[in-house]
Amino acid sequence: MRRRRQQCLTSALPLNLSCPPLTLSPCYPISRCWPEESPAHWGGSDDPAEGGGAGGGTAGGGLPLNFQHRKHALNCHRMKPALFSVLCEIKEKTVLSIRGIQDEDPPDPQIMRLDNMLLAEGVSGPEKGGGSAAAAAAAAAAGGSPGADGGIEHSDYRAKLAQIRQIYHSELEKYEQACSEFTNHVMNLLREQSRTRPISPKEIERMVAIIHRKFSSIQMQLKQSTCEAVMILRSRFLDARRKRRNFNKQATEVLNEYFYSHLSNPYPSEEAKEELAKKCAITVSQVSNWFGNKRIRYKKNIGKFQEEANLYAVKTAVDAASVSAQASQANSPATPTSGGYPAPCYTPDGRL
DNA sequence: TTCGATGATTCGGC
DNA sequence: GCCGAATCATCGAA
């Protein structure tokens, strides 16, 4: 097309058959893109039989002699190098102005936000427990109980997050592959076309940048939908955590045992709390909450807790006796009954 | 649906 | 920061 325009422009020039030797302008920067740095590509071959390349494909076979003659004359015209230079300059300026507008491509803040979020959630970036970290953070934020059920929920959350991550990477790979294939295709096309029209490396770069920009917008959609999926998953996870769950029977038993066996001073140390938390598969703060509630409720209504207290006191005594017998150490039971909270009265068979 | 039980939260005191 | 006290919110049995 460009060649045709050039031909039209040059055809208006006065012809001089006694043309000087044709030389290309040394400052032409885009000539590297032309497979053969020959004026033949600009105005066709000097050989009238060849017909002047793609633009004049039929010229060799069926173009009027007049046309071939004029074409030959044009190729040999003394003004051709000058005109070529001018056209190249015009083109160079156009490319620069376009580049000036389009190269200013600051990083999209939305993409950056999405990238940061996906990285924080462990979806993008290296997979090193990002999901579990997010789950732990979510659990901490909810102040929830990572107990037996919590463990199931936790692994469930991680599994779902891993699924999202897998889909995300799979789709991303597809997009990148498609982008690469399409870029290669376009570049090959442009290289092919550069045989018939001047195409500078900058132009190819610009075209590649446009393609990448288009694919980048598709990637942004993928990132957006992934972020939404993670948010929904996280929200569900947090909602589930917010729901209060009663401790299991075994955990309550362990806590009660400790409480009633330390009735004189039902304030477990930090170490004891950690130990209890480990035994009950709950957090230390949950142990603290439990003891706080227990102390108050016991004090408020000792009568109501008498039976329970007796039960655990007997159990503790039996356990202690058993341990003593086993260890051949006949020490007294570990049930303190003086000071602190009022201890229950019980008979050896466990009744009040 | 009701209501007691229970885990969590909030607030003030130390 | 821990504790007691009050309160909230949910669970679960009747």
Side-chain angles (χ1 to χ4, degrees):
Chain A
M1 205 166 83
R2 184 171 179 81
R3 203 171 124 208
R4 280 188 187 169
R5 250 183 83 194
Q6 287 168 345
Q7 281 176 334
C8 289
L9 284 166
T10 49
S11 64
L13 293 170
L15 298 177
N16 184 356
L17 292 177
S18 58
C19 58
L22 193 61
T23 52
L24 276 173
S25 167
C27 64
Y28 181 44
I30 60 173
S31 58
R32 279 174 297 150
C33 223
W34 293 40
E36 295 121 356
E37 293 184 11
S38 155
H41 286 282
W42 193 73
S45 168
D46 284 342
D47 180 8
E50 193 183 318
T58 57
L63 282 179
L65 278 174
N66 184 28
F67 179 83
Q68 287 187 30
H69 181 75
R70 286 180 66 184
K71 195 173 164 189
H72 180 72
L74 174 64
N75 284 334
C76 299
H77 196 275
R78 62 184 169 83
M79 290 298 287
K80 183 179 173 181
L83 180 63
F84 192 83
S85 272
V86 168
L87 287 171
C88 288
E89 274 176 28
I90 291 168
K91 179 171 177 137
E92 179 75 356
K93 279 177 188 170
T94 311
V95 168
L96 283 173
S97 65
I98 291 168
R99 188 182 58 194
I101 293 165
Q102 301 195 348
D103 279 1
E104 291 170 9
D105 194 15
D108 190 338
Q110 197 179 351
I111 288 183
M112 283 174 71
R113 270 200 301 276
L114 290 170
D115 280 338
N116 288 338
M117 189 184 157
L118 291 172
L119 202 63
E121 293 294 335
V123 174
S124 63
E127 187 178 19
K128 43 185 180 183
S132 61
S145 58
D149 288 346
I152 293 165
E153 285 170 14
H154 188 99
S155 59
D156 193 35
Y157 178 90
R158 281 167 60 181
K160 287 199 167 75
L161 196 69
Q163 202 179 344
I164 291 172
R165 183 188 162 91
Q166 192 186 349
I167 292 168
Y168 170 75
H169 282 285
S170 161
E171 291 299 311
L172 202 63
E173 202 177 326
K174 277 184 202 167
Y175 285 141
E176 278 168 2
Q177 196 182 343
C179 179
S180 172
E181 279 177 11
F182 189 69
T183 305
N184 283 339
H185 175 73
V186 169
M187 282 175 76
N188 287 336
L189 209 64
L190 289 173
R191 283 198 193 103
E192 184 64 28
Q193 285 188 7
S194 71
R195 293 174 185 277
T196 56
R197 64 186 180 101
I199 299 172
S200 70
K202 297 280 182 197
E203 278 180 298
I204 295 178
E205 276 175 29
R206 199 162 60 82
M207 189 55 71
V208 168
I210 288 167
I211 293 166
H212 283 181
R213 214 168 290 140
K214 290 284 176 194
F215 274 89
S216 165
S217 72
I218 297 169
Q219 272 190 14
M220 193 167 81
Q221 285 174 23
L222 172 69
K223 284 175 182 177
Q224 263 177 340
S225 58
T226 306
C227 278
E228 280 170 17
V230 171
M231 285 295 102
I232 289 166
L233 175 66
R234 190 164 178 160
S235 158
R236 280 181 189 162
F237 180 77
L238 286 172
D239 287 347
R241 292 281 178 161
R242 282 196 189 102
K243 284 183 181 174
R244 187 177 67 78
R245 296 279 169 85
N246 287 352
F247 297 157
N248 62 39
K249 200 177 172 183
Q250 193 199 345
T252 310
E253 219 162 273
V254 168
L255 293 167
N256 272 319
E257 256 180 55
Y258 187 96
F259 181 82
Y260 288 112
S261 65
H262 295 77
L263 210 51
S264 61
N265 186 34
Y267 297 90
S269 64
E270 201 56 38
E271 290 78 18
K273 280 181 189 174
E274 281 173 14
E275 183 69 25
L276 286 167
K278 204 174 169 183
K279 273 186 187 175
C280 302
I282 57 176
T283 64
V284 171
S285 62
Q286 283 179 301
V287 172
S288 298
N289 284 338
W290 189 91
F291 273 87
N293 287 324
K294 189 72 180 179
R295 282 192 297 266
I296 288 169
R297 285 160 187 166
Y298 179 83
K299 206 164 91 177
K300 269 185 180 174
N301 198 346
I302 295 172
K304 197 184 86 179
F305 287 97
Q306 283 276 332
E307 198 176 341
E308 188 181 67
N310 289 335
L311 205 72
Y312 281 102
V314 169
K315 191 174 184 300
T316 307
V318 169
D319 286 350
S322 172
V323 169
S324 297
Q326 279 180 6
S328 301
Q329 291 174 352
N331 292 334
S332 60
T335 308
T337 55
S338 61
Y341 287 80
C345 302
Y346 59 92
T347 59
D349 62 358
R351 288 183 299 169
L352 286 170

